[in-house]
Amino acid sequence: MNASLHRGIGMTSLRTRERMIERLREQGIRDERVLAAMGAVPRHIFVEEALASRAYEDTALPLGFQQTISQPYVVARMIELLLNGTTARVLGKTLEIGAGCGYQAAVLGTLTREVYAVERIEPLLARARKHLAQLRLNHVRLKHADGNLGLLAAAPFDSIIVAAAAARVPQALLDQLAPGGRLVLPLGSSGNGDQILTLVERKTDNSGYSETRFDAVRFVPLVTGIE
Ligand code: SAH
C-alpha cells in the first residue's frame, strides 16, 4: 500500500507521521517492521475531523460511544510484543478484539495478509469498514461480534491482540491460539490504572501456556455482548 497516494494526505501529515515514528523510537520501539507499518497508516483519517490535528500526538483520543482510539505507543508496543523483536517471527493469521474505528487493524493489515478484527459496537464497526476501504486494506476482515468468544470460524490464530482490558484471559481466546501462538492483552480491572500489558504464549508442544508481564497501561474494559 502506498498511503501517501491516498486523497487528502499532504506533506503536513507525512511530516507529523515521521515525527511520530521518531518519538516511538525514543520511547523504545525497536522493530523496524512495526515502525514502518506505523509510518504507512495515516492515523488522522481514523479520528474525527475536529481532532485530526492531534492525530499524531502520543495520546488516546475519543471515538464516541465512550471508546477511544489507542495511543500510538501502545499500538506499536503490543504489535512488537507479538513479533518479539525477532525477524524470524511473523504475525501470521491474526485476530484483533476491539477494532474500534479500525486503526490498529489497519496497522496489522500492513504487516500480515490475514487479519480478522471483531468489534461489539456496530456503528464503530461501520466506521472501521469505511476507513479500511479508504486505505484499500480489503484483506482485513471485520466482524460484528463479542470478542470474548474469539472467532471460531477462522481459528486457530498465530497472533491475538486484545484492545480492551479483561480481568482474566477469555478461555475461547486461549483455545483458539495455535501452538506456538502469542496473545497480548491488558490484564486487570479497568479504571484504577492497574492493568498490565501481558503476553501469553502457547507452547509449541501444546503442553500449556506461559505468561509474561510488561508495561502498565489503561484501556477501556472488555465487556460482554454486542450492541
Ligand atoms: N483497536 C482500537 C481501540 C479501540 S478501544 C484502535 O486501534 O484504536 C477498544 C474497543 O473494544 C472498543 O471499540 C470497544 O467497543 C471494544 N470492545 C470492548 N469489549 C468488546 C468485546 N467483548 N468484543 C468486541 N469488542 C469489544
Side-chain angles (χ1 to χ4, degrees):
M1 179 190 66
N2 188 340
S4 62
L5 293 179
H6 175 68
R7 180 169 47 89
I9 297 173
M11 283 310 286
T12 313
S13 117
L14 270 178
R15 279 206 205 95
T16 44
R17 233 184 301 161
E18 279 162 15
R19 279 200 291 273
M20 179 181 86
I21 301 307
E22 283 319 306
R23 208 166 48 227
L24 291 173
R25 276 186 207 283
E26 283 161 22
Q27 289 168 305
I29 303 298
R30 292 279 173 268
D31 194 307
E32 292 298 331
R33 296 168 293 178
V34 177
L35 292 164
M38 298 288 294
V41 177
R43 194 165 186 266
H44 67 273
I45 73 159
F46 293 86
V47 303
E48 286 173 29
E49 224 171 314
L51 293 169
S53 65
R54 302 187 55 200
Y56 298 97
E57 290 176 17
D58 193 38
T59 178
L61 293 169
L63 284 181
F65 307 94
Q66 288 159 14
Q67 306 303 326
T68 53
I69 178 169
S70 299
Q71 185 189 346
Y73 170 75
V74 174
V75 170
R77 181 76 175 133
M78 288 178 110
I79 299 174
E80 193 173 65
L81 289 176
L82 288 175
L83 287 166
N84 195 26
T86 65
T87 46
R89 192 172 199 273
V90 293
L91 291 177
K93 196 201 289 180
T94 301
L95 173 66
E96 183 195 24
I97 307 299
C101 64
Y103 176 66
Q104 183 160 260
V107 178
L108 292 167
T110 68
L111 284 161
T112 179
R113 293 304 304 168
E114 269 190 288
V115 184
Y116 295 82
V118 306
E119 170 55 52
R120 63 179 292 278
I121 301 178
E122 184 133 54
L124 279 181
L125 191 75
R127 262 191 250 166
R129 269 191 217 294
K130 190 184 95 188
H131 295 147
L132 291 164
Q134 257 177 300
L135 298 176
R136 299 193 185 86
L137 291 170
N138 306 317
H139 61 286
V140 177
R141 271 158 282 187
L142 296 164
K143 300 259 185 264
H144 183 217
D146 180 352
N148 284 292
L149 307 175
L151 192 61
L152 194 55
F157 298 98
D158 304 301
S159 303
I160 300 179
I161 191 161
V162 186
R168 36 188 301 235
V169 190
Q171 185 60 44
L173 300 186
L174 292 173
D175 294 343
Q176 292 175 27
L177 198 59
R182 299 180 144 217
L183 178 159
V184 65
L185 87 169
L187 212 50
S189 55
S190 63
N192 48 7
D194 61 358
Q195 303 165 7
I196 302 290
L197 214 50
T198 304
L199 178 70
V200 178
E201 293 169 274
R202 186 168 196 166
K203 301 205 168 113
T204 41
D205 64 2
N206 231 346
S207 64
Y209 301 82
S210 66
E211 216 176 275
T212 319
R213 293 152 65 87
F214 293 89
D215 325 38
V217 285
R218 195 171 317 151
F219 276 81
V220 298
L222 185 74
V223 293
T224 307
I226 56 175
E227 55 181 67

